[in-house]
Amino acid sequence: GFEARLPDRSAPGARSALWLVNLEQVYCAPEWGELDVLEWYSSRPGLPETATHATCTDATHESWHHKPATWDWGAGGRTGFHRWAVRKESTTGPGGPTITLSYLYDGRVTAVDTCQEKLPATTCDAVLAAAWTAILQTAVFGDDSGPFLRPADEEPFPTQELVVRDMWVEEL
């Protein structure tokens, strides 16, 4: 997980993100996985997002996207320090093993993905058993694709400050 503070202002074209990837490079592979613990788009400054992406074949992959319509920032408001995390849980029931990913904000579960909803259990195990790399990133996009708003040509280059105060990994 991460303890982080988002930028204090939004800037067109900017996106701050805290994410994990299970390969040394981001490329299409059957065991590829990406956990977007936090994505914050300047085009939606009051609404953080999370997502799970897994397995990639022929440039297509399975995704679970969580784009809330409202958000309760709680103590500290949008620009305070908050704790963002993802938790993996494995359970065995009558239908066999189930892997669940829960996204947490300040200890509160905000989204849940069940890997077997879209992928076979063996694929889920292979994707989630790999080592993960954390990426702390603020990026600027020059187009209006997806959730991105292009920076205004007459404005200075947008700058953002994503501050990460703590990062942790726990074995459950």
Side-chain angles (χ1 to χ4, degrees), residues 93-107:
T98 301
I99 298 171
T100 303
L101 297 173
S102 299
Y103 289 87
L104 295 94
Y105 169 77
D106 286 347

mmCIF file with all atom_site columns, all heavy atoms in Angstrom, residues 93-107:
data_model
loop_
_atom_site.group_PDB
_atom_site.id
_atom_site.type_symbol
_atom_site.label_atom_id
_atom_site.label_alt_id
_atom_site.label_comp_id
_atom_site.label_asym_id
_atom_site.label_entity_id
_atom_site.label_seq_id
_atom_site.pdbx_PDB_ins_code
_atom_site.Cartn_x
_atom_site.Cartn_y
_atom_site.Cartn_z
_atom_site.occupancy
_atom_site.B_iso_or_equiv
_atom_site.pdbx_formal_charge
_atom_site.auth_seq_id
_atom_site.auth_comp_id
_atom_site.auth_asym_id
_atom_site.auth_atom_id
_atom_site.pdbx_PDB_model_num
ATOM 1   N N   . GLY A 1 93  ? -14.002 -22.652 -1.620 1.00 0.00 ? 93  GLY A N   1
ATOM 2   C CA  . GLY A 1 93  ? -15.410 -22.943 -1.371 1.00 0.00 ? 93  GLY A CA  1
ATOM 3   C C   . GLY A 1 93  ? -15.844 -24.140 -2.188 1.00 0.00 ? 93  GLY A C   1
ATOM 4   O O   . GLY A 1 93  ? -15.008 -24.834 -2.774 1.00 0.00 ? 93  GLY A O   1
ATOM 5   N N   . PRO A 1 94  ? -17.144 -24.365 -2.266 1.00 0.00 ? 94  PRO A N   1
ATOM 6   C CA  . PRO A 1 94  ? -17.659 -25.520 -3.011 1.00 0.00 ? 94  PRO A CA  1
ATOM 7   C C   . PRO A 1 94  ? -17.254 -25.512 -4.488 1.00 0.00 ? 94  PRO A C   1
ATOM 8   O O   . PRO A 1 94  ? -17.061 -26.552 -5.093 1.00 0.00 ? 94  PRO A O   1
ATOM 9   C CB  . PRO A 1 94  ? -19.175 -25.399 -2.886 1.00 0.00 ? 94  PRO A CB  1
ATOM 10  C CG  . PRO A 1 94  ? -19.427 -24.394 -1.828 1.00 0.00 ? 94  PRO A CG  1
ATOM 11  C CD  . PRO A 1 94  ? -18.190 -23.587 -1.645 1.00 0.00 ? 94  PRO A CD  1
ATOM 12  N N   . GLY A 1 95  ? -17.075 -24.339 -5.072 1.00 0.00 ? 95  GLY A N   1
ATOM 13  C CA  . GLY A 1 95  ? -16.689 -24.232 -6.476 1.00 0.00 ? 95  GLY A CA  1
ATOM 14  C C   . GLY A 1 95  ? -15.190 -24.245 -6.688 1.00 0.00 ? 95  GLY A C   1
ATOM 15  O O   . GLY A 1 95  ? -14.723 -24.031 -7.808 1.00 0.00 ? 95  GLY A O   1
ATOM 16  N N   . GLY A 1 96  ? -14.416 -24.426 -5.639 1.00 0.00 ? 96  GLY A N   1
ATOM 17  C CA  . GLY A 1 96  ? -12.961 -24.427 -5.745 1.00 0.00 ? 96  GLY A CA  1
ATOM 18  C C   . GLY A 1 96  ? -12.369 -23.126 -5.217 1.00 0.00 ? 96  GLY A C   1
ATOM 19  O O   . GLY A 1 96  ? -13.056 -22.330 -4.565 1.00 0.00 ? 96  GLY A O   1
ATOM 20  N N   . PRO A 1 97  ? -11.085 -22.871 -5.518 1.00 0.00 ? 97  PRO A N   1
ATOM 21  C CA  . PRO A 1 97  ? -10.424 -21.673 -4.991 1.00 0.00 ? 97  PRO A CA  1
ATOM 22  C C   . PRO A 1 97  ? -10.932 -20.393 -5.667 1.00 0.00 ? 97  PRO A C   1
ATOM 23  O O   . PRO A 1 97  ? -11.277 -20.390 -6.837 1.00 0.00 ? 97  PRO A O   1
ATOM 24  C CB  . PRO A 1 97  ? -8.950  -21.911 -5.310 1.00 0.00 ? 97  PRO A CB  1
ATOM 25  C CG  . PRO A 1 97  ? -8.946  -22.884 -6.429 1.00 0.00 ? 97  PRO A CG  1
ATOM 26  C CD  . PRO A 1 97  ? -10.191 -23.707 -6.304 1.00 0.00 ? 97  PRO A CD  1
ATOM 27  N N   . THR A 1 98  ? -10.975 -19.327 -4.879 1.00 0.00 ? 98  THR A N   1
ATOM 28  C CA  . THR A 1 98  ? -11.371 -18.006 -5.372 1.00 0.00 ? 98  THR A CA  1
ATOM 29  C C   . THR A 1 98  ? -10.340 -16.994 -4.914 1.00 0.00 ? 98  THR A C   1
ATOM 30  O O   . THR A 1 98  ? -9.954  -16.982 -3.746 1.00 0.00 ? 98  THR A O   1
ATOM 31  C CB  . THR A 1 98  ? -12.757 -17.597 -4.830 1.00 0.00 ? 98  THR A CB  1
ATOM 32  O OG1 . THR A 1 98  ? -13.709 -18.575 -5.253 1.00 0.00 ? 98  THR A OG1 1
ATOM 33  C CG2 . THR A 1 98  ? -13.173 -16.232 -5.333 1.00 0.00 ? 98  THR A CG2 1
ATOM 34  N N   . ILE A 1 99  ? -9.892  -16.151 -5.841 1.00 0.00 ? 99  ILE A N   1
ATOM 35  C CA  . ILE A 1 99  ? -8.956  -15.084 -5.507 1.00 0.00 ? 99  ILE A CA  1
ATOM 36  C C   . ILE A 1 99  ? -9.697  -13.759 -5.616 1.00 0.00 ? 99  ILE A C   1
ATOM 37  O O   . ILE A 1 99  ? -10.297 -13.455 -6.641 1.00 0.00 ? 99  ILE A O   1
ATOM 38  C CB  . ILE A 1 99  ? -7.740  -15.084 -6.457 1.00 0.00 ? 99  ILE A CB  1
ATOM 39  C CG1 . ILE A 1 99  ? -6.971  -16.401 -6.314 1.00 0.00 ? 99  ILE A CG1 1
ATOM 40  C CG2 . ILE A 1 99  ? -6.836  -13.887 -6.167 1.00 0.00 ? 99  ILE A CG2 1
ATOM 41  C CD1 . ILE A 1 99  ? -5.883  -16.588 -7.343 1.00 0.00 ? 99  ILE A CD1 1
ATOM 42  N N   . THR A 1 100 ? -9.636  -12.992 -4.534 1.00 0.00 ? 100 THR A N   1
ATOM 43  C CA  . THR A 1 100 ? -10.318 -11.706 -4.480 1.00 0.00 ? 100 THR A CA  1
ATOM 44  C C   . THR A 1 100 ? -9.293  -10.606 -4.244 1.00 0.00 ? 100 THR A C   1
ATOM 45  O O   . THR A 1 100 ? -8.405  -10.748 -3.399 1.00 0.00 ? 100 THR A O   1
ATOM 46  C CB  . THR A 1 100 ? -11.358 -11.685 -3.340 1.00 0.00 ? 100 THR A CB  1
ATOM 47  O OG1 . THR A 1 100 ? -12.264 -12.763 -3.541 1.00 0.00 ? 100 THR A OG1 1
ATOM 48  C CG2 . THR A 1 100 ? -12.118 -10.387 -3.299 1.00 0.00 ? 100 THR A CG2 1
ATOM 49  N N   . LEU A 1 101 ? -9.403  -9.519  -4.995 1.00 0.00 ? 101 LEU A N   1
ATOM 50  C CA  . LEU A 1 101 ? -8.587  -8.326  -4.779 1.00 0.00 ? 101 LEU A CA  1
ATOM 51  C C   . LEU A 1 101 ? -9.499  -7.240  -4.236 1.00 0.00 ? 101 LEU A C   1
ATOM 52  O O   . LEU A 1 101 ? -10.503 -6.896  -4.863 1.00 0.00 ? 101 LEU A O   1
ATOM 53  C CB  . LEU A 1 101 ? -7.943  -7.865  -6.083 1.00 0.00 ? 101 LEU A CB  1
ATOM 54  C CG  . LEU A 1 101 ? -6.964  -8.833  -6.719 1.00 0.00 ? 101 LEU A CG  1
ATOM 55  C CD1 . LEU A 1 101 ? -6.534  -8.328  -8.086 1.00 0.00 ? 101 LEU A CD1 1
ATOM 56  C CD2 . LEU A 1 101 ? -5.758  -9.053  -5.827 1.00 0.00 ? 101 LEU A CD2 1
ATOM 57  N N   . SER A 1 102 ? -9.147  -6.697  -3.073 1.00 0.00 ? 102 SER A N   1
ATOM 58  C CA  . SER A 1 102 ? -9.917  -5.607  -2.473 1.00 0.00 ? 102 SER A CA  1
ATOM 59  C C   . SER A 1 102 ? -9.071  -4.344  -2.496 1.00 0.00 ? 102 SER A C   1
ATOM 60  O O   . SER A 1 102 ? -7.918  -4.358  -2.059 1.00 0.00 ? 102 SER A O   1
ATOM 61  C CB  . SER A 1 102 ? -10.283 -5.932  -1.018 1.00 0.00 ? 102 SER A CB  1
ATOM 62  O OG  . SER A 1 102 ? -11.086 -7.094  -0.969 1.00 0.00 ? 102 SER A OG  1
ATOM 63  N N   . TYR A 1 103 ? -9.645  -3.265  -3.004 1.00 0.00 ? 103 TYR A N   1
ATOM 64  C CA  . TYR A 1 103 ? -8.971  -1.963  -3.012 1.00 0.00 ? 103 TYR A CA  1
ATOM 65  C C   . TYR A 1 103 ? -9.448  -1.184  -1.800 1.00 0.00 ? 103 TYR A C   1
ATOM 66  O O   . TYR A 1 103 ? -10.652 -1.117  -1.532 1.00 0.00 ? 103 TYR A O   1
ATOM 67  C CB  . TYR A 1 103 ? -9.270  -1.209  -4.311 1.00 0.00 ? 103 TYR A CB  1
ATOM 68  C CG  . TYR A 1 103 ? -8.569  -1.831  -5.491 1.00 0.00 ? 103 TYR A CG  1
ATOM 69  C CD1 . TYR A 1 103 ? -9.156  -2.865  -6.209 1.00 0.00 ? 103 TYR A CD1 1
ATOM 70  C CD2 . TYR A 1 103 ? -7.297  -1.409  -5.857 1.00 0.00 ? 103 TYR A CD2 1
ATOM 71  C CE1 . TYR A 1 103 ? -8.497  -3.457  -7.281 1.00 0.00 ? 103 TYR A CE1 1
ATOM 72  C CE2 . TYR A 1 103 ? -6.635  -1.995  -6.920 1.00 0.00 ? 103 TYR A CE2 1
ATOM 73  C CZ  . TYR A 1 103 ? -7.234  -3.014  -7.625 1.00 0.00 ? 103 TYR A CZ  1
ATOM 74  O OH  . TYR A 1 103 ? -6.570  -3.587  -8.670 1.00 0.00 ? 103 TYR A OH  1
ATOM 75  N N   . LEU A 1 104 ? -8.483  -0.626  -1.045 1.00 0.00 ? 104 LEU A N   1
ATOM 76  C CA  . LEU A 1 104 ? -8.816  0.062   0.201  1.00 0.00 ? 104 LEU A CA  1
ATOM 77  C C   . LEU A 1 104 ? -8.371  1.516   0.168  1.00 0.00 ? 104 LEU A C   1
ATOM 78  O O   . LEU A 1 104 ? -7.323  1.839   -0.400 1.00 0.00 ? 104 LEU A O   1
ATOM 79  C CB  . LEU A 1 104 ? -8.133  -0.634  1.386  1.00 0.00 ? 104 LEU A CB  1
ATOM 80  C CG  . LEU A 1 104 ? -8.606  -2.055  1.666  1.00 0.00 ? 104 LEU A CG  1
ATOM 81  C CD1 . LEU A 1 104 ? -7.695  -3.042  0.970  1.00 0.00 ? 104 LEU A CD1 1
ATOM 82  C CD2 . LEU A 1 104 ? -8.631  -2.316  3.139  1.00 0.00 ? 104 LEU A CD2 1
ATOM 83  N N   . TYR A 1 105 ? -9.170  2.351   0.800  1.00 0.00 ? 105 TYR A N   1
ATOM 84  C CA  . TYR A 1 105 ? -8.863  3.773   0.979  1.00 0.00 ? 105 TYR A CA  1
ATOM 85  C C   . TYR A 1 105 ? -9.042  4.066   2.461  1.00 0.00 ? 105 TYR A C   1
ATOM 86  O O   . TYR A 1 105 ? -10.140 3.883   3.005  1.00 0.00 ? 105 TYR A O   1
ATOM 87  C CB  . TYR A 1 105 ? -9.811  4.634   0.139  1.00 0.00 ? 105 TYR A CB  1
ATOM 88  C CG  . TYR A 1 105 ? -9.746  6.104   0.447  1.00 0.00 ? 105 TYR A CG  1
ATOM 89  C CD1 . TYR A 1 105 ? -8.686  6.865   -0.024 1.00 0.00 ? 105 TYR A CD1 1
ATOM 90  C CD2 . TYR A 1 105 ? -10.723 6.720   1.217  1.00 0.00 ? 105 TYR A CD2 1
ATOM 91  C CE1 . TYR A 1 105 ? -8.613  8.215   0.269  1.00 0.00 ? 105 TYR A CE1 1
ATOM 92  C CE2 . TYR A 1 105 ? -10.653 8.073   1.506  1.00 0.00 ? 105 TYR A CE2 1
ATOM 93  C CZ  . TYR A 1 105 ? -9.606  8.815   1.036  1.00 0.00 ? 105 TYR A CZ  1
ATOM 94  O OH  . TYR A 1 105 ? -9.522  10.146  1.317  1.00 0.00 ? 105 TYR A OH  1
ATOM 95  N N   . ASP A 1 106 ? -7.974  4.451   3.133  1.00 0.00 ? 106 ASP A N   1
ATOM 96  C CA  . ASP A 1 106 ? -7.996  4.712   4.580  1.00 0.00 ? 106 ASP A CA  1
ATOM 97  C C   . ASP A 1 106 ? -8.661  3.563   5.342  1.00 0.00 ? 106 ASP A C   1
ATOM 98  O O   . ASP A 1 106 ? -9.458  3.766   6.255  1.00 0.00 ? 106 ASP A O   1
ATOM 99  C CB  . ASP A 1 106 ? -8.687  6.038   4.880  1.00 0.00 ? 106 ASP A CB  1
ATOM 100 C CG  . ASP A 1 106 ? -7.827  7.236   4.508  1.00 0.00 ? 106 ASP A CG  1
ATOM 101 O OD1 . ASP A 1 106 ? -6.612  7.051   4.257  1.00 0.00 ? 106 ASP A OD1 1
ATOM 102 O OD2 . ASP A 1 106 ? -8.357  8.357   4.463  1.00 0.00 ? 106 ASP A OD2 1
ATOM 103 N N   . GLY A 1 107 ? -8.336  2.322   4.947  1.00 0.00 ? 107 GLY A N   1
ATOM 104 C CA  . GLY A 1 107 ? -8.840  1.130   5.626  1.00 0.00 ? 107 GLY A CA  1
ATOM 105 C C   . GLY A 1 107 ? -10.241 0.698   5.200  1.00 0.00 ? 107 GLY A C   1
ATOM 106 O O   . GLY A 1 107 ? -10.712 -0.350  5.625  1.00 0.00 ? 107 GLY A O   1
#
